[in-house]
Amino acid sequence: MEELGCPKVLANERLGHEDGSVSARYTHGTDTMRALLMDQLTEVWHKSLDDRLLLAPRSPAPILDRLLQQRAAERWHPVSRSHPDHTQMQRSQGRSP
């Protein structure tokens, strides 16, 4: 989370740590901060699955195999040019629209 620039107060909240400092007493994580962190962590998760797919498309571990197959279907499934996600999908694959 540190690499993502996550505020310390939010990292402590997510990890279940308590900070007894005076500043921590008056600083709180916001819904906007939590939503941004969730988006960032989701991107990291997708990248890790994409990297794993490059190593091998299948896994002997059933849960990982299922996750890999789902990610492969999401990533490689063609999207119609008229679909609103078309531009976003191309960007996520490193292509320009």
Side-chain angles (χ1 to χ4, degrees):
M1 287 189 291
E2 195 168 314
E3 288 180 11
L4 299 174
C6 178
K8 184 177 178 182
V9 65
L10 190 57
N12 285 339
E13 178 184 298
R14 301 289 288 183
L15 297 171
H17 298 170
E18 287 193 28
D19 184 347
S21 70
V22 173
S23 63
R25 185 176 215 33
Y26 298 102
T27 306
H28 306 284
T30 65
D31 289 342
T32 301
M33 292 164 66
R34 288 182 196 94
L36 177 60
L37 179 60
M38 181 64 74
D39 290 344
Q40 291 171 326
L41 290 173
T42 300
E43 285 181 36
V44 170
W45 173 247
H46 286 162
K47 172 131 178 38
S48 70
L49 287 175
D50 293 344
D51 290 348
R52 176 55 175 77
L53 277 167
L54 291 174
L55 293 173
R58 303 301 300 249
S59 170
I63 186 73
L64 179 56
D65 191 55
R66 192 166 43 252
L67 290 167
L68 289 169
Q69 295 309 299
Q70 289 171 352
R71 181 63 181 159
E74 290 169 5
R75 188 159 187 233
W76 304 115
H77 188 271
V79 175
S80 163
R81 287 197 176 272
S82 62
H83 192 282
D85 289 338
H86 175 73
T87 301
Q88 182 60 34
M89 179 168 276
Q90 285 187 325
R91 286 188 183 131
S92 72
Q93 294 174 355
R95 301 185 308 213
S96 50

